């Protein structure tokens, strides 16, 4: 039976109380006289319904005589029902009479109490408050449960005492059953005023327990646990239901609500409705204390019953009766609770269905069973819920034992509380105490805390200290249990790792189950990287899910192990759903600060008492180069303090000592083995062990120990794939590889004791992961294995070397070594180590320290040319060499096989890579200028970027919601759509008559909206490519546009200073939001759709309420026009972009500014949150795209490539790509996670404006548009120092003659003087009124000249920073200034196309040199001082005679502006750099061009010649931020060869040949050709995500064809016919598409025939 509804209208609704009472009596009289029992019961039911209506309509304050007659009728009805054999139904009727509480004696009847004597109601013990059955009372109102307020006349005169009495338990006494617990809880809730009515024993118990708060908590906790046990019970049969419901009257609100939710969920999720759950729900509702039911609880239950009864499958007839009765009980209870418009009458009638009404009545009358909840004493399940709770195993004793073991294990190790920062990209000055941050996390609702850090940073030490502190604060029984889990020690920790760790701690299975169900944990997971995990352990272990472990997780991992999207591995959630970042927190453990280093040294000396004192260590730190940086790593600090006293020879000058990371490990391990040997020698060994020890000592104990470590490390990597823990037992491991190291042989046992190994039971491991990696690195190359005979280094170009080779021939190596070839058993041969960054770091240092190792690596590469068996070793080898800074300039790499190698950011200028196997090689940011890749296998190569699209005048862009297309708004008013898979244009939308300022997809992607400077907004249909609406109410240019989250509304902002809200269906303007005092440039809807944010050139951001149209908040802080605004994914933050060069992140609720993001050097045009909400991307007029960390405000990485302002940015739906549009006419698609794990770029982020070489020839200084100055090592190209202070572009830098000062000029109108040795700014020289474009030192170094766009040149005293003279004469900005070699003259070049020569003494202009036809960019004296060279925008270089002022030679050849010119040291050569991306070498006397250096990655902005004459070096600075050093070689003719490049990691392939290269994808081919590669590759791979032709694209192509023909001047009959045909076909296709009659676009593919 399925109810059509729970409540329905009733015809009795029109009756008055008198009429309803009269009708009830008619039914009652008929029932008395009816012989047929079934009909009599139906009449009784009608009587009850009529009485219910009468009671409802008369009300509580109505006519008392009517109420009295209703009570009499209820009593008479009860008597009839009881006489007919229905005592339960009779009780219901009697209770209704009692509830009316009216005096009926005036109506000729005895009192109600007297009338009920002898009835079934008078003997029901449950009416007696305080009895053992009190918890089962029908207590729908709170007053009835209060003993002191129950009316006395309710009690029968001779009521029987309770049939069951319960002994009240003593403190901590075990309870006998659930009713006893219910009685105790009920008594605890009674009012103190009613205690006098209780018996003395009960009063005494209450008095005692009120003082015993712990026992009160025990009883309440017991009730909570019974509820939990009921929740876990899968059957939930009638007995368990009855048991748990008996607790309801004594529960507090939270526990009551928990129990109500369990019943609700059980009814909601059961396949067929369970009667006993419904009955239990009814009893629960009746037992609800005042305030325990929320306002909407009963409404939800009503809705649930309605839904479930409709959806329930057809049950049996018996079940129908039970369900109907049970539902009736629930509804009766709800009616008793007096829900508005709900009473028995409306509940008992259906909507006019007589059959259903009869069925309802029969079900009420003929109940087929007697339900257990109705009996006086409950029949409990066996075991009962209480038994299950009380029979739990004891775990506290084992927890105490674990606590003792773990706190004892902590020992007295040196511990310095570490600092942390919010992310890898966060600045060190934003550090915080890490322990405080973790404790804040543990007190929050967050679930996962990720602790990252470098190898040896102290993650494990911190985790153990955290565990120690948590154990100290642990509270028995109620506290959260700290559980330290060494992940590598757990087998498959992705499944049930807590139970596995507890088993290792010797907890029993029953104890583990107990703790899983009843305890909470703080799980400290150490070594995520060591266990080589990729799983989200929080999710795979189902933490905090129903019936699973309840825990917060602190988990640590090496930073280098994680990729860019690492948060997915830790955040609660899964890869198919957006992770909940609100439950996740992360921090990076920082390196030691100088103060922490000093504190560690002091503690170390006290604890370990080494040979050195504190002052000795301090002197070593101050004097040994690079040691300060090494010891900031805590583990390396430990190693350093251990080995330094023996590492530094007595009497050795500390400044001459060289300490490296790998050197520290060498000495540490050797010292450890020596101490192990000494300890064993002093030990009382048995005869066999003593003999073994002496044998090892005779043969070299240290060497044996090192060999043992090497072999063990190799076996761990070979047999266990690097998993660091080895489990060995004799039963299982005696016949395995493990027995070689862990058997009971005396030699093995002695070596294990001597080596840095640790053992825990049957688990063995190195004491630190880095020692395992060191041992493996030592196995790959051991300096001790190399013969002491000198082996010359293979002649090969290395970063900083002065030579290069075209082959890998190793010179001066013994012939027998060459014949032997590489070691085939080396780990490099059988395993890839490309991603083992810590190991690679050690091997990098070996390469830099050991020429023989470099030669061996080169040998692997050389052998791979002929034999593929060496290709894995070759891939490892070249990866190590590239990371070590080795540069393969001009190297012969033909035929090498290095699949999978990581060559990212490597230098391969002019290298020969013909026919090389480069499959799946990482080529991100690699320098391949003029490299020959002909015939190379390049399947799967990764460049880390995609080709750009050339589009004229891009103003706006947007990703489609499906990620398959990008819409681009253009200056010409058109909107182009492009496929993201191949950059093909698929559609053109035409209609706007001016610039399209914004373009936006609707949330479903079915529509596009566009805003324009033509004052309109247009809505487009994507299926047809047609225009749907034109919105015209703005009176000025429309600048901003956004859809609401549901796509039904749209907001726009315009130059008319208003925001308008539009209806997408009708096109009507719903609201106009006014309040800005300037043009509106950006609008954004909140994710909830209830707010709109707007920004303007009034510098403000307004937050508007969509419903009211009022401004709820204004965000103030920007100092210039705000151009863009966007909401975060969760809607709690706003990001804004401004002309003040900053991005700001705001808190929506408070209006406070969370972060100001500094880094852009010009206007920020666009800003957007990532789909995950963890980062913000911004595009700026400075041409850069920056990614910012939302939490810390730090810049994660910067994308360079655009050559002009970035006008728009848009994320792909998945957040993995970003599209940017720029004024450089390109649309670029970027990898949003671009970057490399091992790139540490110290290069400029944007154009280098000036480079100069020091007089000593050892340093290079550069100044850039990124506002910084950088100091470079001339030999190696390493960045020595970064000097910051300027607030705008640095235009020029120069060394003082002695090389101790640097002077710089900037767009911030200042000149600054810097000390070279410290990098500190000593003077800031203000005075110019605009950009300072050039500076120069006098030959004596006491004076500085500066030139400015303010048309002046100023002379400054270096000592005082005072300007003592200003030179005026130029009629436009001065671009260059330089002193003559003798210091008597100054030359200046200007935008007025002239050069002026000034006398220093008189400070007057002595000559004006004219000849150039455009700006003069730079002037330079020859070393002899008799000649002046000038570079100009007129594409020429001129050589001038100083004496006569005449132009002696004009050097032509450049095809664009010449930005820089410089003389060689001897003055014979002249070099010039141009915007045409070439450098030209000229003969200074004849003007003849001697060489052209081309294929630069970008335009050349500056050039400088080194002061060293042999060899000659040139240094260039480019617009892409790179600084390049070139060697000028004089052979038959001049040749220029690259020496090193310091760049920001941009891909450089200009001039590279890809002729015949195999396996390139079409996108990669397009990328390489765009970047200047040449040739045609073979076997292009098709892209896998080609987008099918769409209807809109076909229609668009037909329209284009029709328009092209219409524009034709010819009007032949054939063309007219063709035009008509195309127009008809376009209309037909559009119509069929609109009506859904085109099944496939395949049928519409066509070729456009020529109309001729």
């Amino acid at each position: 039976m399925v109810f059509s509804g729970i409540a329905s209208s009733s015809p009795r609704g029109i009756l008055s109380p008198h009429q309803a009472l009269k009708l009830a009596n008619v039914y009652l009289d008929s029932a008395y006289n009816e012989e047929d029992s079934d009909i009599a019961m139906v009449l009784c039911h009608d009587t009850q319904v009529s009485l219910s209506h009468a009671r409802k309509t008369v009300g509580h304050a109505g006519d008392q005589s009517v109420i009295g007659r209703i009570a009499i009728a209820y009593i008479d009805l009860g008597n009839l029902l009881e006489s007919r054999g229905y005592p339960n139904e009779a009780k219901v009727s009697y209770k209704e009479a009692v509830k009316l509480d009216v005096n009926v004696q005036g109506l000729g009847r005895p009192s109600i109490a007297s009338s009920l004597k002898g009835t079934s109601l008078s003997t029901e013990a449950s009416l007696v408050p305080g009895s053992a059955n009190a918890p089962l009372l029908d207590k729908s109102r709170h007053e009835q449960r209060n003993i002191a307020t129950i009316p006395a006349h309710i009690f029968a005169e001779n009521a029987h005492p309770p049939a069951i009495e319960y002994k009240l338990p003593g403190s901590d006494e075990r309870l006998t059953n659930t009713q006893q617990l219910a009685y105790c809880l009920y008594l605890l809730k009674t009012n103190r005023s009613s205690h006098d009515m209780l018996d003395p024993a009960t009063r005494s118990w209450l008095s005692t327990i009120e003082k015993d708060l712990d026992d009160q908590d025990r009883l309440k906790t017991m009730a909570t646990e019974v509820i939990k046990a009921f929740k876990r019970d899968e059957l939930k049969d009638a007995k368990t239901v009855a048991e748990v419901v008996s607790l309801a009257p004594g529960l507090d609100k939270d526990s009551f609500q928990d129990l109500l939710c369990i019943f609700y969920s059980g009814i909601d999720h059961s396949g067929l409705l369970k009667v006993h759950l419904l009955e239990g729900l009814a009893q629960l509702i009746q037992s609800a204390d005042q305030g325990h039911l929320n306002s909407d609880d009963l409404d939800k239950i009503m809705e649930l019953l309605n839904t479930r009864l409709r959806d329930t499958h057809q049950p049996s007839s018996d079940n129908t009766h039970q369900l109907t009765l049970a539902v009736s009980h629930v509804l009766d209870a709800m009616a008793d609770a007096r829900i508005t418009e709900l009473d028995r009458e409306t509940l008992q009638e259906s909507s006019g269905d007589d059959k259903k009404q009869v069925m309802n009545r029969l079900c009420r009358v003929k109940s087929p069973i007697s339900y257990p909840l109705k009996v006086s004493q409950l029949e409990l399940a066996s075991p009962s819920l209480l038994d299950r709770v009380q029979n739990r195993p004891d775990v506290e004793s084992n927890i105490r034992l674990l606590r003792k073991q773990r706190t004892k294990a902590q020992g007295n190790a040196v511990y310095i509380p570490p600092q942390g920062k919010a992310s890898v990209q966060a600045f060190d000055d934003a550090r915080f105490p890490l322990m405080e941050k973790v404790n804040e996390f543990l007190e929050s609702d967050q679930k996962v805390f990720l602790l990252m850090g470098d190898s040896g940073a102290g993650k494990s030490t911190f985790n153990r200290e955290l565990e120690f502190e948590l154990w100290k604060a642990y509270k028995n029984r109620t506290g959260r249990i700290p559980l330290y889990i060494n992940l590598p020690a757990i087998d498959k920790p992705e499944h049930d790792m807590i139970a596995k760790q507890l088993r290792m701690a010797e907890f029993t299975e029953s104890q583990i189950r107990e703790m899983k169900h009843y305890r909470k944990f703080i799980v400290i997971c150490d070594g995520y990287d060591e266990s080589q995990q990729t799983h989200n352990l929080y999710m795979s272990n189902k933490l905090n899910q129903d019936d699973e472990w309840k825990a917060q997780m602190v988990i640590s991992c090496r930073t280098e192990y994680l990729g860019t999207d690492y948060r997915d591995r830790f955040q609660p959630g899964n890869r198919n759903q957006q992770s909940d970042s609100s439950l996740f927190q992360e921090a990076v453990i920082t390196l030691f600060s100088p103060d922490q280093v000093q504190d560690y040294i002091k503690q170390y000396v006290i604890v370990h008492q080494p040979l050195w004192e504190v002052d000795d260590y301090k002197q070593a730190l101050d004097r040994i180069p690079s040691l300060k940086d090494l010891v900031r790593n805590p583990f390396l600090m430990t190693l350093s303090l251990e080995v330094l006293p023996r590492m530094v020879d007595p009497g050795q000058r500390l400044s001459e000592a060289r300490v490296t990371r790998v050197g520290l490990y060498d000495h540490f391990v050797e010292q450890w083995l020596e101490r192990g040997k000494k300890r064993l020698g002093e030990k009382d060994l048995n005869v066999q062990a003593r003999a073994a020890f002496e044998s090892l000592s005779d043969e070299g104990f240290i060497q044996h120990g090192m060999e043992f470590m090497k072999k063990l490390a190799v076996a761990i990597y070979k047999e266990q794939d690097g998993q660091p823990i080895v489990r060995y037992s004799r039963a299982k491991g005696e016949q395995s590889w493990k027995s070689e190291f862990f058997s009971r042989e005396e030699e093995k046992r002695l070596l294990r004791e001597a080596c840095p190994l640790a053992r825990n039971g049957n688990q063995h491991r190195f004491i630190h992961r880095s020692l395992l990696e060191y041992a493996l690195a030592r196995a790959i190359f051991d300096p001790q294995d190399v013969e002491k005979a000198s082996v010359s280094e293979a002649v090969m170009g290395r970063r900083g070397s002065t030579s290069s080779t075209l082959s890998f021939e190793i010179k001066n190596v013994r012939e027998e070594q060459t014949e032997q070839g590489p070691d085939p058993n080396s780990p490099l041969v059988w395993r890839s180590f490309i991603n083992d960054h810590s190991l690679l770091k050690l091997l990098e240092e070996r390469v830099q320290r050991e020429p023989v190792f470099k030669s061996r690596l080169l040998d692997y590469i050389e052998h791979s040319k002929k034999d593929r068996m060496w290709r894995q070793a070759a891939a490892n080898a070249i990866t190590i060499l590239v990371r070590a800074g080795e540069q393969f300039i001009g190297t012969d790499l033909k035929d090498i096989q290095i699949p999978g190698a990581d060559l990212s950011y490597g230098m391969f200028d002019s290298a020969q890579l013909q026919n090389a196997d480069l499959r799946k090689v990482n080529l991100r940011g690699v320098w391949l200028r003029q490299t020959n890749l002909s015939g190379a296998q390049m399947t799967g190569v990764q460049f880390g970027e995609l080709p750009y699209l050339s589009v004229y005048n891009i103003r706006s862009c947007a990703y489609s919601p499906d990620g398959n297309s990008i819409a681009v708004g253009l200056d010409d008013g058109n909107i182009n759509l492009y496929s993201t898979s191949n950059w093909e244009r698929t559609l053109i939308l035409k209609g706007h008559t001016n610039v399209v300022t914004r373009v936006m997809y609707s949330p479903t992607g079915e529509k596009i909206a566009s805003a324009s400077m033509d004052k309109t907004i247009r809505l487009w249909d994507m299926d047809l490519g047609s225009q749907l609406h034109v919105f015209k109410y703005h009176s000025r240019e429309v600048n901003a546009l956004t859809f609401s989250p549901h796509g039904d509304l749209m907001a726009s902002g315009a130059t008319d200073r208003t925001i308008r809200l539009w209806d997408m269906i009708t096109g009507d303007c719903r609201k106009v939001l006014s309040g800005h005092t300037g043009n509106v440039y950006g609008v954004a809807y909140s994710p909830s759709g209830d707010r709109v944010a707007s920004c303007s050139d009034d510098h403000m951001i307004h937050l508007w309420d969509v419903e009211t149209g009022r401004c709820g908040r204004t965000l103030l802080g920007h100092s210039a026009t705000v151009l863009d605004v966007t909401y975060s994914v969760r809607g709690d933050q706003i990001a804004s972009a401004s002309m003040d060069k900053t991005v700001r992140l705001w808190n929506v609720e408070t209006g406070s500014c969370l972060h100001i993001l500094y880094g852009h050097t010009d206007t920020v045009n666009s800003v957007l949150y990532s789909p995950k909400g963890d980062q913000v991307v911004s595009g700026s007029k400075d041409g850069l795209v920056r990614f910012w960390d939302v939490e810390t405000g730090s810049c994660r990485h910067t994308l360079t490539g655009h050559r002009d302002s970035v006008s728009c940015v848009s994320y792909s739906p998945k957040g993995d790509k970003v599209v940017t549009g720029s004024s450089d006419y390109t649309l670029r698609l970027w990898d949003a996670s671009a970057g490399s794990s091992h790139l540490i770029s110290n290069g400029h982020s944007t154009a280098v404006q000036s480079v100069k070489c020091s007089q000593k020839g050892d340093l290079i200084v550069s100044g850039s548009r990124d506002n910084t100055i950088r100091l470079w090592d001339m030999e190696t190209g390493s960045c020595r120092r970064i000097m910051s202070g300027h607030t705008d572009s640095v235009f020029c830098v120069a060394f003082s003659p002695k090389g101790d000062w640097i002077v710089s000029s900037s767009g911030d109108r200042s000149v600054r003087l810097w000390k070279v040795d410290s990098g500190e700014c000593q003077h800031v020289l203000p005075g110019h009124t605009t950009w300072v474009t050039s500076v120069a030192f006098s030959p004596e170094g006491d004076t500085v000249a500066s030139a400015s766009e303010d048309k002046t040149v100023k002379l400054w005293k270096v000592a005082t920073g005072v300007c003592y003279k200003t030179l005026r004469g130029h009629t436009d900005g001065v671009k260059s200034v330089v002193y003559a070699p003798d210091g008597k003259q100054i030359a200046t070049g200007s935008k007025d196309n002239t050069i002026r020569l000034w006398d220093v003494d008189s400070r007057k202009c002595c000559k004006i040199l004219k000849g150039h036809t455009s700006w003069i960019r730079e002037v330079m004296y020859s070393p002899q001082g008799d000649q002046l060279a000038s570079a100009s925008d007129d594409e020429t270089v001129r050589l001038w005679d100083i004496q006569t002022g005449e132009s002696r030679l004009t050097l032509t050849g450049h095809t664009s502006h010449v930005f820089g010119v410089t003389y060689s040291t001897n003055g014979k050569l002249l070099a010039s750099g141009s915007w045409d991306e070439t450098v030209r070498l000229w003969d200074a006397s004849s003007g003849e061009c001697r060489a052209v250096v081309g294929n630069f990655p970008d335009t050349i902005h500056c050039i400088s010649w080194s002061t060293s004459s042999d060899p000659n070096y040139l240094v260039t600075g480019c617009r892409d931020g790179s600084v390049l050093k070139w060697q000028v070689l004089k052979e038959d003719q001049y040749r220029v060869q690259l020496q090193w490049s310091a760049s920001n990691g941009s891909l450089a392939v200009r001039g590279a040949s890809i002729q015949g290269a195999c396996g390139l994808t079409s996108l990669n081919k397009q990328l390489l050709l765009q970047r200047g590669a040449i040739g045609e590759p073979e076997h292009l791979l098709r892209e896998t995500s080609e987008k099918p032709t769409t209807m809109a694209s076909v229609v668009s192509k037909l329209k284009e064809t029709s328009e092209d023909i219409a524009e034709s001047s010819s009007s032949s009959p054939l063309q007219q016919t063709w035009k008509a045909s195309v127009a008809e076909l376009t209309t037909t296709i559009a119509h069929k598409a609109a009506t859904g009659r085109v099944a496939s676009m395949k049928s519409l593919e066509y070729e456009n025939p020529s109309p001729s």
Side-chain angles (χ1 to χ4, degrees), residues 1454-1557:
H1454 285 297
T1455 58
S1456 189
H1457 309 327
V1458 184
F1459 270 42
V1461 64
T1462 182
Y1463 278 95
S1464 64
T1465 306
N1466 57 20
K1468 294 181 180 180
L1469 291 176
L1470 187 75
S1472 59
S1474 168
W1475 200 290
D1476 64 8
E1477 301 178 5
T1478 67
V1479 168
R1480 288 177 175 263
L1481 296 185
W1482 313 86
D1483 187 293
S1485 59
S1486 67
E1488 182 180 352
C1489 181
R1490 297 296 190 186
V1492 178
V1493 185
N1495 294 318
F1496 274 80
D1498 210 332
T1499 57
I1500 295 124
H1501 277 197
C1502 48
I1503 188 168
S1504 178
W1505 215 300
S1506 74
T1507 55
S1508 173
S1509 58
D1510 187 23
N1512 278 317
Y1513 291 112
L1514 272 176
V1515 180
T1516 58
C1518 298
R1519 186 169 65 174
D1520 67 350
S1522 61
V1523 176
L1524 310 173
K1525 177 190 172 187
W1526 307 81
Q1527 183 178 3
V1528 181
L1529 302 172
K1530 176 69 181 296
E1531 298 170 352
D1532 294 338
Q1533 56 185 8
Y1534 282 99
R1535 183 169 63 86
V1536 180
Q1537 178 177 288
L1538 183 67
Q1539 290 297 293
W1540 52 253
S1541 166
S1543 68
N1544 53 24
S1546 297
L1547 178 67
V1549 294
R1550 187 69 59 96
S1553 173
I1554 56 173
Q1555 184 67 36

Side-chain angles (χ1 to χ4, degrees), residues 204-223:
S204 175
W205 181 85
L206 275 173
S207 176
T208 302
I209 199 169
E210 282 177 350
K211 301 174 184 178
D212 191 347
L213 296 180
D214 289 340
D215 208 40
Q216 289 185 45
D217 289 340
R218 179 178 73 93
L219 295 175
K220 294 175 182 178
T221 301
M222 190 91 55

Side-chain angles (χ1 to χ4, degrees), residues 649-667:
D649 295 330
Q652 180 184 7
R653 294 180 59 183
L654 293 177
S655 59
E656 297 176 352
R658 185 185 180 191
V659 178
T660 64
R661 180 189 305 260
V662 72
L664 287 175
Y665 278 98
D666 286 339
H667 284 80

Side-chain angles (χ1 to χ4, degrees), residues 486-490 504 526 530-531 716 720 722-728 737-738 742 758 760 762-766 769 772:
N486 182 15
L487 290 175
I490 301 293
M504 293 176 63
D526 193 37
E530 293 186 38
S531 64
I716 288 174
Q720 298 190 165
Q723 212 282 350
I725 293 181
V726 181
R727 295 175 178 83
Y728 175 80
W737 63 271
K738 302 175 186 178
F742 303 107
N760 182 13
N762 68 341
Q763 296 182 353
H764 303 262
R765 63 174 299 166
F766 284 88
R769 168 81 187 196
L772 168 63

Side-chain angles (χ1 to χ4, degrees), residues 1227-1248:
L1227 189 73
R1228 291 179 181 265
L1229 199 57
W1230 310 85
D1231 182 350
S1233 59
S1236 171
S1237 58
H1238 70 265
L1239 173 68
I1240 303 175
S1241 174
N1242 288 314
H1244 289 290
S1245 62
T1246 187
V1248 178

Side-chain angles (χ1 to χ4, degrees), residues 283-350:
Q283 188 73 16
L284 191 62
I285 295 172
Q286 290 176 336
S287 302
D289 206 346
Q290 186 177 29
H292 278 20
L293 284 170
N294 293 326
S295 58
D296 60 345
D297 282 345
L298 298 177
D299 294 331
K300 292 179 180 177
I301 293 171
M302 190 125 174
E303 182 181 352
L304 172 65
L305 292 178
N306 209 4
T307 302
R308 291 295 287 124
L309 289 171
R310 286 197 184 99
D311 296 343
T312 301
H313 299 294
Q314 184 70 30
S316 67
S317 59
D318 287 344
N319 200 32
T320 299
H321 288 78
Q322 297 179 45
L323 284 176
T324 305
L325 182 59
V327 170
S328 298
H329 289 162
V330 174
L331 297 177
D332 281 343
M334 296 169 69
D336 289 339
R338 303 196 178 180
I339 301 178
T340 306
E341 299 181 354
L342 182 64
D343 59 24
R344 286 182 173 77
E345 179 183 356
T346 58
L347 293 175
Q348 301 301 338
E349 296 195 0
S350 303

Side-chain angles (χ1 to χ4, degrees), residues 1062-1219:
W1062 307 89
D1063 189 298
M1064 289 291 91
I1065 299 176
T1066 65
D1068 296 334
C1069 179
R1070 286 194 180 181
K1071 281 187 177 64
V1072 180
L1073 312 180
S1074 300
H1076 281 295
T1077 59
N1079 303 337
V1080 180
Y1081 286 107
V1083 291
Y1085 261 102
S1086 65
S1088 60
D1090 58 343
R1091 289 183 182 180
V1092 166
S1094 61
C1095 60
S1096 165
D1097 63 4
D1098 61 10
H1099 307 180
M1100 299 180 184
I1101 301 165
H1102 286 330
L1103 305 184
W1104 308 86
D1105 186 286
V1106 172
E1107 187 67 27
T1108 65
R1110 296 177 181 175
C1111 178
R1113 189 181 297 280
T1114 299
L1115 309 181
L1116 301 174
H1118 283 295
S1119 59
T1121 298
V1122 188
L1123 293 175
D1124 199 11
V1125 65
T1126 182
Y1127 268 96
S1128 65
V1129 178
R1130 294 166 56 191
D1132 57 338
Q1133 287 187 17
I1134 281 178
S1136 56
S1138 171
M1139 292 181 71
D1140 64 10
K1141 307 178 186 178
T1142 69
V1143 174
R1144 287 178 180 248
L1145 304 184
W1146 309 83
N1147 182 294
V1148 171
E1149 292 305 315
T1150 65
S1152 60
C1153 181
L1154 301 172
H1155 295 292
I1156 303 176
L1157 312 183
Y1158 295 104
H1160 285 296
T1161 58
D1162 211 326
T1163 295
V1164 187
N1165 296 316
S1166 186
V1167 66
L1168 192 65
Y1169 278 93
S1170 66
K1172 291 184 178 180
D1174 59 333
Q1175 66 181 6
V1176 165
V1177 63
S1178 59
S1180 168
K1181 195 175 179 180
D1182 62 12
L1184 301 180
V1185 179
R1186 289 182 179 267
F1187 293 86
W1188 310 85
D1189 188 279
V1190 168
E1191 186 174 354
T1192 66
S1194 58
C1195 182
R1196 287 187 175 181
H1197 54 275
T1198 303
L1199 304 179
T1200 60
H1202 283 298
R1203 299 189 174 191
D1204 210 329
S1205 175
V1206 178
S1207 55
C1208 53
V1209 295
S1210 181
Y1211 264 105
S1212 66
K1214 295 181 180 179
D1216 57 334
K1217 297 287 190 297
V1218 166
V1219 63

